[in-house]
Structure formats: structure tokens, C-alpha cells
Amino acid sequence: MSRKEFTQISRVARELEQCMKCGFCAYVCPVYQEEKTEASLARGKNELVKLLVSGELEINRELADRLYKCTGCMTCTTNCPARAEIPRIVVAARADIAGEMGMRFPYGLIYRQVLAKRGVMGLALAVASRLQGVLMPRTSGTLRHMPDFVSAFGKGRRIPSVARKFLRRQVPEVTPAAGRRTLRVGYFSGCMNEFVSPEIGRRTIGLLARRGVEVVFPRAQGCCGAAVFLGAGDFETARKMADRNAAAFEGLDYVVTDCATCACALTEYAHFLADTPEREEAYARFSGKVRHVASFLVDVLGAADFRAPALLDGKKVTWHDPCHLNRHLGVREQPRRILESLDGVRYVEMPEADRCCGMGGQFNLLHYELSMKIAKRKSESIEAADADIVVTACPGCQLQLADSASRLDKPQRVMSLMDVIE
Amino acid sequence: MLKPEIIHRLQEIVGKDDVLSAREDLATYSYDGTTNWTGTPEVVVLPRTTEQISEIMKLATRHHIAVTPRGAGTNISGGSVPTRGGIVLCTVKMNRVLDINKTNLTAMVEPGVVLQDFNNMLAKENLFYPPDPQSFLGCTMGGTIAENSGGPLCVKYGVTKHYVLGLEVVLPSGYVMKVGGSTVKNRTGYDLVPLFTGSEGTLGVITRITLRLIPRPAARRTLMAIFDDMTLAGAVVSSILGAGIVPAKIEFVDNFVIRRIEEKMKIGLPVDAKTMLLIDVDGSEAAVESEAERILELLKEGGARIARRAKDETEAALYWKARSAGFAAIYSAARTVIAEDVTVPRDRLSEYIQRLDEISRKSGFPIVLIGHAGDGNIHPSVSTDSTDKEDLERLEDTLTAIFEMALELGGTLSGEHGIGLEKKRLLSRALDPMAIDAMRKIKAIFDPDNIMNPDKIWENA
């Protein structure tokens, strides 16, 4: 077969040579731990991409299936003696695959037509929320990242209710700081908080304002694009999203989000999506201002004192590290410091707190049973910690933990970090 | 190409999900931990029971299909690379620890158990299985038996073969043979256990393993020493052993590795130092204390610029982490890196180090030294960025020179990695021809059709 141009893979070509095939990733890869096949392992995926580049394999469904079987948790990289960033190679390969094959129905349609356009998405979800009670039992506290919302229908998942009133209709464009204004930040809501749990967004905005921060909620912001470029490899659509988000937050001191996945995706714009010097510059400037709220509160504001709402009084809480927050952004200690500072709440560390929950966005949709197997091990960790509440800071993890808790009939409640501090 | 009925029969034996035949799957079973050996199988099976393996072997024998057994494929000899297509038989799904016996001090495991998982289970029982190949995060027990693996702890505790009491092996005919038992003493006829231990998958498939365990040592100390002269460091190792002290580990890293570690980890090593020795002593609290003292004296007498003990577990862990990052540092430093595995008698270490330096200077290839000084197994890694054919041929010649030098010093071709494909061109020079002949005849007894991991160990096999 003729040598093809692999635009995105060629950008990480050096990285491809990093893997020395030692196979140590086997011990930590959550997917391999369940599957036990080489193609499920980082080392195997690296080899597949190398063979694609050398022309020994071609882009087809079989190859795509294997490269999509990665949650992107980055545990392999963290433990790799050569620090090979194979999950990034996988994302690049997905982009080249998507470029050639297009995206699998219905994802392509959803990403291009729904996600990229917030108005359409709002409308679709509004309709969905009306139909939800009719089509399936209304439950609470489960489902991922809106991007995958529509396609989740009909797969037997517990899906949370879509909010009656979206966040942008609940909060003003500018929330003034209480007292003297120290900073002026933009709040990036993410799809989950915009459409499903606007109360979290309200809490975050309120908390920031009470701490002397003026919070702007730019109406022009859209989806972060995580599912679109990190998940599906549709870089073209994601660039439109990135352009819009970067423009929407111009002139603000920081961009703060309470979604780990959004925070990660927003900081990855320059790495994956910059195809021109202008974009490189704009994305880098934008990404440099992005902070997850846990890091913003602790590192930027230097906050050390937090209060828990009354319903947490006397409760034992544990923390689940979202991969996007911990390994991707290096935010590990901050949420723990926040939880440990809560009066009347006991913090316990669970074993393997940083192990991937198995969500991985689209991964959960494509490989639901496998995703649930990975979640089961997380559930055992939670059980070992014997906590009343599992706290995390990623709507994706939150959905996964709640879904697996309900499947396995576990008593633990799953809450967002922003639910437990005031 | 295997006939569809073979694939179909394999699916009947192990179930559809545990037979892989898509090109995209086969490609991922074409390599091991080496850089350049590759070969693609025609089918991969992942059996879950001994009976299934027996059926697979019967099928392979009936149809003369080559079988390459493997675990996690972390070996660095080419030994688990399929050279003739055929079947890759991967045992990773047989991963139960069947028994840990605290009073007989034994354990029984299936071949797919990962060494680190096994260690974790033993630690809870305060038990210890010393063989510690540095691939412990990936390697499976079956693989470590087949490769007779060793690691840093082997100075004091020996290698895998010193711990294998009994094996269940499926022969190419499909016959399930048991050798050895579960007693420490066993003097019943020829001992076939060490024959299969280190057989590199050429005689049969290991399906069950009985291992000897020891109690976990109560105390441990880590010592660190810096030398400005590599040969002095080599001589100190001999003098420590000569003083009647056998530390658990004596590891050696050279200046190149020290600099790379310091670049990445910044733990405060002097980047001008020629050698760092890391030494662990373990045993009872009183014994480790006096041994640590004595070793520190010997290190200073032997010319160490710095010799000190790690002040706590954290500092010790940091040193050992640096040591384990050493290989990666070497591998990521050049396009082609070949880690040699020659081993020399421990009293010839400083001579060995000196002669390696001469070989490096003469050939112009950098030779980096890192490894197990305590057992004479310091791996010289030869590297080049060149892709020029002539340079690569000269590289081969350099490796041969290293090997010949080690042999001259009374050493051996491979300490712990095995022969596989990587070293077979040199085997005839390392062994007595009669010994090779005997080995080939043994191979023919168990594997008359030569289907069991063919092409490994011997040239023209």
C-alpha cells in the first residue's frame, strides 16, 4: 500500500520511538488488567501506530477498535521508565483515523451538528428532557459528559435528568465580587453543569464571588471539545470549539472550571489543535489561564479554610482522583487539603485513589461492559475506605461511580467537590 | 497460513474470545522486550487450563505447527518472538495463586501470575520470594521459570532455579508431566526441574509451579558510595565479598547513568562521579547494623569519595528508584542500544571494567555500565545513533569482543537474559560441543518434531 500522510501522528513521531517495549505498562493499565491482550496495552497500541505509519497496517475498523480501547488515563506514562506518552499517540492516531474513515454513527453527527453548536444542543436536550420520563425511568445522579448524551439513549444506562432550566438562564453574565475585587475570572461551565447540574455551577460561581473574585460567565462559551478531539479525534470540529472558547475568555485573569475533563481539554488545545502560528499563540495564551477550581482556590487564592454544608456533619469522605485532574494536570494534593480542612468531616484515603474509574468518556459508550469491570475495582477501593461519601471533581467520574454503585448495590453517595464546600 | 479448521479447533478448545487471529492482534504478539527481533504469529491462543494447553499441543503436533509459549513478553532475548508463524500460546490468563503454605514455606502458582502481584501477596504473609528480575511489574511466573531469571538480589539469594521445587509441564505430545515435588530435599533420579527451569520454552509449556519461599528478612539498610575511579569500585566489591559479607544487592552505575539520573530526578548525585555503588544488606537488626558498619569501612578504605547509609526508607527508595530508572536512561539515549549480559567471576570485576573501557576506546562506541556487581553481572550497554550498515557490523564485532573478553576472564555469555535469538550465534563458542550435543538430544526426546519454540538457543535448529 502507498505511504499515506498521517498529519497528526507525524507531529508525535518522536514520541513513537520512546517506547522500549519493556511491558511495565501491563501492571498499571486498567484496560489490560481486564483484557490481558497486547493490543489493549500501551506497548501494543504504540506498535500498531508504528505499523500503520510504516504501511504494514492500514486504517480500518479493526485498527480503530483497538485504538479506541484506551481510557486516556495516562497511568502508563506516569509509570513508564522512558516516559512514553502513548495516550497522546493514541489521540493523534484517532485524529488521522477519523480524518480518513469519518466517525462512527451517531458520534459524527452528534459532534458536528449538536456539540459544536450550543443552541442546537440546548434544544436537543430540552426535547430529550421532556421525553426522558416517557422513554425510560427517570433516575438521578448518572451519566457522562453531555457530548455523549444523545448516543447513550437505549444502552441501558442510568441517565440523569436534564435540568429544567439551564445554567445560563440561572446566572448573570457578571457576578460581582463580595467586598474588594482581587481578580476577574471567567467561569467555564462545561456541558454537564450547563445542562444537567446547574446547581454545581451556581455553587462554584457563588463561592468564588464570596472569596473576592468577580466571575464572568461568557455567553459565547461552548463545549470544551474533550469528547470530540481527545475521544473521537475530530480535530477539525474541535478547532472551531477551541477558537470560540479562546475568544470568549479574552481579557480575563483566569479561566476557572469545576470539571476536571474540561480543565484538561482546555489546556490541551495548543498541543493537539494548533495548526497555525495564530492558533498556537491564541491557544497557548488561553490554556495558560485555565485552572481547575481546586487548584485555583488553593494555589491562586491561597485559601485554606473551607466549611462543609450541614448534611456532611459527622460523615466520612474519601477522594477519587480524576485522571484528567491528577495525571494530566498534576492536581493531586489540593482537593485533599480542601477535604481535610472541613470541620466535622472525617477524611479517609482510599487504596488506589488515583486508579482510573473506567469512564474515559466515549470509552464507556463503546465498551460499556469493560468500563464497568474497571469500575468494579474502584468500587472495591471505595468499600475498603469504608466512607459514606466519595468526592470527586469530574462529572464523568461522578457518573461512572454512581452508575457502578447502583449496579453493584453499594451504599456510598457520590458528590462533587463543589457540593461539599461552601 | 493456518487452515481455517485449525483456528476453528482452537476456538473449540479455549472458546472464541481467547483466540486472536485479526492482523491487528497478531501484530502485537510479534515482539518481546528486545529492540530488533520480530516475527508475526498466525494465531494467538490464551488458554485458561492445563487441559486446554494439552489439547492445543496435541493439535499442534498432529499438524506440525510451531508453538511459541509466552507470558507477558517482557523478556530481552528474543525468546518469545515467533519465528515460524504458527501459534503463540500466551499464559497470562492462567493467573491464580493456588496456594501459599506458611508452614511448609512453599507456594503453588499458575504461570500467568505477575511477579509483583505474587510479591504483594507474600508480603502480607511476611514471606519472601527473592528472584527479582527488573521486569517484575510485567513478567509472569511462567516466564521467569522458563528464563531462569535473576536480578539484584541474586548475590545473596541465588536465581530462580534455586527456588523451584516442582513443575507441571505440558509436553509437545500433549502429555501432562509432573517433575519434582513440594519438598526442599528431593533426591529421586535425575532432577528434571532445573532442566525445564531455564529451558526458554523449548521443551514444553509450564502450567503449574511449586516454589520454595523464605521468611521476609526483618531489617534492611541501603548504603551508597561514590567513586572517582570505576576500577576501584570493582575492586571494593571483591573486597566486601572477600571479607565474608554477602550483601543482598550490590549494584553498579557509571558516570553516564549518574548524569542521566541527576538530569531527570535531581537527587543530588555528584555528576562528575565515575561510579555509584548501591548496596543493600538485610537480615536481623543486629546483623545488618554490624555488616553496614563494616561495609562502610571497606568502602572508605577502598577509595570511595563518599560512603554513607540512606538515612531512612524514603531516601533508600529514592536511590533504588534511580537505579531502576537507569536502564531507561540508557535506552532513551541512542537509536540502537544493546544491553549485553556477560557475567564474570566476581574477583575479576576491576579487570573486566578496565578491559571494557579499552574496548570502548578502540571501537569508538560508548559502553555504559549498569548492573549487578555483586554477582559479576554488570551489563555493558553498547550504543550508537548510526544507521549505517558498516557501523552496525562494527557494533556486532564489538559485542563479540566483549563476549570473548568475558570468556577469557572465566565468565559466561549470559548471566540472566538467556540465549533466545539474541545470543545464539555465540553459543557454540561458550559451550563444550559435547554439552551442546547432549542438549540437542534432550530437546529431541521431549520435542521430536521440533515444534516447541523452534529456532531458539541453537543455530540451525
Side-chain angles (χ1 to χ4, degrees):
Chain A
M1 113 172 218
S2 65
R3 287 288 285 268
K4 284 229 162 60
E5 272 289 313
F6 297 106
T7 325
Q8 299 309 325
I9 297 172
S10 66
R11 293 179 65 186
V12 291
R14 261 179 65 91
E15 200 56 43
L16 265 179
E17 300 303 320
Q18 238 358 68
C19 173
M20 55 186 194
K21 296 191 282 192
C22 69
F24 293 5
C25 41
Y27 196 70
V28 295
C29 171
V31 179
Y32 177 81
Q33 290 292 312
E34 304 301 332
E35 297 272 289
K36 302 275 183 204
T37 59
E38 273 286 324
S40 64
L41 188 60
R43 172 172 74 167
K45 292 188 173 75
N46 193 71
E47 184 72 11
L48 288 176
V49 177
K50 279 173 96 165
L51 293 173
L52 174 65
V53 172
S54 72
E56 282 161 77
L57 290 175
E58 65 261 18
I59 289 177
N60 59 23
R61 179 52 61 207
E62 294 283 333
L63 184 77
D65 281 349
R66 282 156 187 77
L67 292 173
Y68 279 92
K69 223 181 226 187
C70 166
T71 66
C73 70
M74 291 289 269
T75 319
C76 54
T77 304
T78 311
N79 290 278
C80 175
R83 287 263 156 190
E85 298 196 327
I86 296 174
R88 285 174 178 276
I89 294 169
V90 167
V91 172
R94 286 175 185 174
D96 286 331
I97 289 172
E100 178 155 329
M101 285 176 71
M103 271 174 298
R104 195 184 288 209
F105 182 80
Y107 301 106
L109 179 74
I110 295 165
Y111 294 154
R112 293 212 168 89
Q113 301 306 325
V114 182
L115 270 189
K117 298 163 188 161
R118 198 138 260 211
V120 178
M121 186 159 158
L123 191 65
L125 289 169
V127 173
S129 78
R130 296 293 175 276
L131 292 174
Q132 201 175 3
V134 183
L135 292 175
M136 61 188 68
R138 188 180 289 270
T139 54
S140 63
T142 16
L143 178 92
R144 170 61 177 163
H145 204 44
M146 275 304 93
D148 301 320
F149 184 89
V150 184
S151 50
F153 277 92
K155 292 203 178 179
R157 276 175 199 78
R158 306 263 177 129
I159 295 175
S161 306
V162 173
R164 293 276 159 174
K165 202 172 167 193
F166 299 151
L167 182 61
R168 66 186 53 211
R169 287 166 57 198
Q170 297 191 26
V171 295
E173 189 154 2
V174 178
T175 305
R180 200 177 65 85
R181 188 183 93 184
T182 53
L183 289 165
R184 195 161 166 268
V185 309
Y187 172 68
F188 187 89
S189 68
C191 301
M192 258 327 252
N193 293 339
E194 170 78 56
F195 298 119
V196 178
S197 25
E199 66 284 359
I200 304 263
R202 278 206 324 268
R203 291 181 71 92
T204 304
I205 293 170
L207 182 76
L208 293 173
R210 282 197 301 282
R211 299 219 173 225
V213 176
E214 179 177 310
V215 187
V216 181
F217 185 126
R219 294 302 199 250
Q221 67 178 290
C223 171
C224 69
V228 178
F229 73 103
L230 296 175
D234 182 358
F235 284 16
E236 199 188 308
T237 307
R239 268 180 208 116
K240 292 183 194 143
M241 298 169 150
D243 287 345
R244 188 172 53 188
N245 287 330
F249 286 84
E250 272 292 339
L252 294 162
D253 297 328
Y254 286 96
V255 179
V256 178
T257 177
D258 40 28
C259 170
T261 298
C262 293
C264 172
L266 300 178
T267 53
E268 293 284 23
Y269 283 172
H271 179 85
F272 286 111
L273 302 176
D275 57 347
T276 61
E278 294 75 35
R279 278 199 167 111
E280 174 98 51
E281 205 270 322
Y283 291 172
R285 188 152 32 88
F286 171 69
S287 295
K289 291 192 225 166
V290 174
R291 295 287 184 280
H292 184 270
V293 67
S295 150
F296 182 77
L297 288 167
V298 174
D299 303 331
V300 179
L301 296 185
D305 53 318
F306 295 92
R307 278 188 307 121
L311 71 117
L312 262 81
D313 208 36
K315 296 279 194 264
K316 211 157 131 187
V317 303
T318 191
W319 171 253
H320 160 71
D321 284 299
C323 302
H324 282 142
L325 195 58
N326 173 27
R327 275 177 292 274
H328 285 259
L329 296 173
V331 178
R332 187 183 156 72
E333 293 311 317
Q334 295 89 330
R336 287 177 171 79
R337 293 221 325 247
I338 293 173
L339 293 176
E340 280 166 355
S341 79
L342 298 176
D343 263 347
V345 175
R346 212 176 119 209
Y347 177 74
V348 280
E349 181 82 15
M350 71 166 105
E352 301 187 318
D354 65 349
R355 192 173 196 270
C356 177
C357 69
M359 183 66 189
Q362 201 187 39
F363 175 82
N364 168 280
L365 295 172
L366 293 172
H367 308 287
Y368 186 57
E369 291 309 314
L370 175 58
S371 169
M372 277 295 124
K373 281 191 205 166
I374 299 171
K376 186 164 177 287
R377 185 147 153 192
K378 176 56 72 176
S379 172
E380 287 160 7
S381 292
I382 295 169
E383 200 154 20
D386 192 29
D388 304 307
I389 299 162
V390 190
V391 183
T392 190
C394 168
C397 299
Q398 208 177 328
L399 286 169
Q400 175 82 339
L401 298 175
D403 191 11
S404 83
S406 97
R407 286 198 166 229
L408 300 167
D409 210 15
K410 302 288 183 209
Q412 289 82 13
R413 283 193 67 186
V414 185
M415 297 178 86
S416 156
L417 182 65
M418 300 315 294
D419 277 328
V420 303
I421 55 174
E422 290 186 334
Chain B
M1 252 312 262
L2 287 179
K3 292 191 194 114
E5 52 261 41
I6 303 277
I7 308 274
H8 182 71
R9 176 70 192 122
L10 288 169
Q11 289 174 340
E12 278 178 4
I13 295 170
V14 299
K16 256 197 157 127
D17 287 351
D18 290 330
V19 176
L20 309 176
S21 57
R23 274 174 65 203
E24 291 72 15
D25 282 321
L26 298 178
T28 61
Y29 289 85
S30 64
Y31 50 79
D32 63 359
T34 52
T35 314
N36 294 320
W37 297 104
T38 56
T40 308
E42 290 161 283
V43 67
V44 177
V45 275
L46 299 120
R48 290 166 194 267
T49 66
T50 301
E51 293 69 37
Q52 289 175 352
I53 293 182
S54 171
E55 290 304 312
I56 294 165
M57 292 315 303
K58 282 179 198 164
L59 181 74
T61 291
R62 201 176 316 131
H63 297 277
H64 280 267
I65 304 165
V67 176
T68 307
R70 61 167 261 173
T74 55
N75 57 296
I76 38 181
S77 65
S80 64
V81 173
T83 48
R84 300 189 186 185
I87 298 169
V88 159
L89 192 161
C90 180
T91 58
V92 293
K93 290 191 175 176
M94 293 172 72
N95 61 348
R96 291 175 305 165
V97 172
L98 301 167
D99 182 41
I100 293 177
N101 186 328
K102 282 191 79 166
T103 42
N104 194 39
L105 291 175
T106 52
M108 190 189 280
V109 300
E110 291 188 325
V113 172
V114 172
L115 178 55
Q116 180 66 32
D117 287 331
F118 184 51
N119 286 336
N120 291 344
M121 288 180 78
L122 293 178
K124 285 185 198 149
E125 307 289 335
N126 221 11
L127 291 168
F128 186 34
Y129 174 73
D132 57 343
Q134 293 301 287
S135 54
F136 54 83
L137 288 177
C139 69
T140 58
M141 298 306 292
T144 64
I145 307 301
E147 296 291 337
N148 187 15
S149 305
L153 278 169
C154 296
V155 194
K156 179 170 180 177
Y157 292 102
V159 295
T160 299
K161 71 178 175 191
H162 300 116
Y163 295 86
V164 188
L165 299 177
L167 293 172
E168 177 188 84
V169 184
V170 179
L171 299 178
S173 65
Y175 185 86
V176 180
M177 183 172 75
K178 291 192 168 66
V179 294
S182 56
T183 55
V184 173
K185 287 183 174 175
N186 192 342
R187 238 330 349 258
T188 340
Y190 290 166
D191 191 356
L192 298 182
V193 176
L195 176 62
F196 283 89
T197 307
S199 62
E200 303 191 27
T202 60
L203 300 178
V205 185
I206 295 161
T207 49
R208 193 165 285 198
I209 303 150
T210 306
L211 296 163
R212 180 169 72 89
L213 307 173
I214 57 177
R216 185 160 290 271
R220 186 176 82 125
R221 295 281 187 283
T222 295
L223 311 173
M224 189 273 274
I226 294 291
F227 289 86
D228 295 323
D229 181 334
M230 287 205 290
T231 56
L232 282 183
V236 156
V237 174
S238 305
S239 74
I240 292 171
L241 296 167
I245 301 169
V246 184
K249 307 176 185 175
I250 310 179
E251 297 286 296
F252 181 108
V253 296
D254 74 0
N255 173 264
F256 175 86
V257 181
I258 292 171
R259 276 185 288 128
R260 293 296 301 237
I261 290 171
E262 200 46 39
E263 247 168 57
K264 294 203 167 177
M265 300 175 56
K266 308 223 179 331
I267 59 174
L269 300 177
V271 290
D272 61 333
K274 288 286 188 295
T275 301
M276 173 171 70
L277 286 183
L278 282 181
I279 301 174
D280 254 14
V281 285
D282 65 5
S284 71
E285 186 62 42
V288 297
E289 200 40 53
S290 73
E291 284 185 358
E293 274 308 311
R294 182 77 187 108
I295 292 172
L296 284 174
E297 280 168 29
L298 289 166
L299 288 167
K300 282 171 192 156
E301 283 165 24
R305 189 209 310 179
I306 301 170
R308 66 159 183 261
R309 64 179 78 202
K311 63 175 189 300
D312 53 24
E313 274 298 315
T314 317
E315 192 182 326
L318 195 62
Y319 286 141
W320 286 111
K321 193 177 173 204
R323 160 63 185 94
S324 63
F327 253 111
I330 297 172
Y331 273 104
S332 55
R335 189 184 290 269
T336 303
V337 178
I338 297 176
E340 261 308 322
D341 186 34
V342 294
T343 302
V344 298
R346 295 173 280 194
D347 55 350
R348 310 294 290 274
L349 269 179
S350 61
E351 207 177 330
Y352 168 71
I353 291 164
Q354 200 170 353
R355 300 225 0 220
L356 281 171
D357 189 45
E358 285 162 20
I359 293 173
S360 171
R361 254 184 264 172
K362 217 158 116 189
S363 67
F365 291 114
I367 298 181
V368 175
L369 290 182
I370 181 168
H372 324 305
D375 51 29
N377 188 202
I378 303 181
H379 303 288
S381 297
V382 189
S383 59
T384 178
D385 270 325
S386 170
T387 48
D388 191 81
K389 197 166 165 281
E390 222 166 88
D391 281 342
L392 292 177
E393 270 167 25
R394 270 196 327 107
L395 188 75
E396 282 285 286
D397 294 343
T398 308
L399 296 175
T400 309
I402 292 175
F403 159 68
E404 280 169 348
M405 176 271 287
L407 219 55
E408 257 178 63
L409 296 179
T412 182
L413 171 58
S414 173
E416 56 184 12
H417 297 170
I419 304 300
L421 296 167
E422 182 97 6
K423 298 193 165 38
K424 63 179 189 172
R425 75 187 170 89
L426 295 169
L427 186 81
S428 62
R429 293 158 74 177
L431 289 181
D432 188 309
M434 190 66 182
I436 292 184
D437 189 50
M439 288 182 193
R440 280 174 175 277
K441 283 175 177 154
I442 291 168
K443 163 86 170 160
I445 293 170
F446 292 109
D447 183 23
D449 301 318
N450 193 28
I451 60 164
M452 201 69 233
N453 208 8
D455 302 322
K456 309 295 160 59
I457 305 183
W458 298 286
E459 298 254 67
N460 317 313

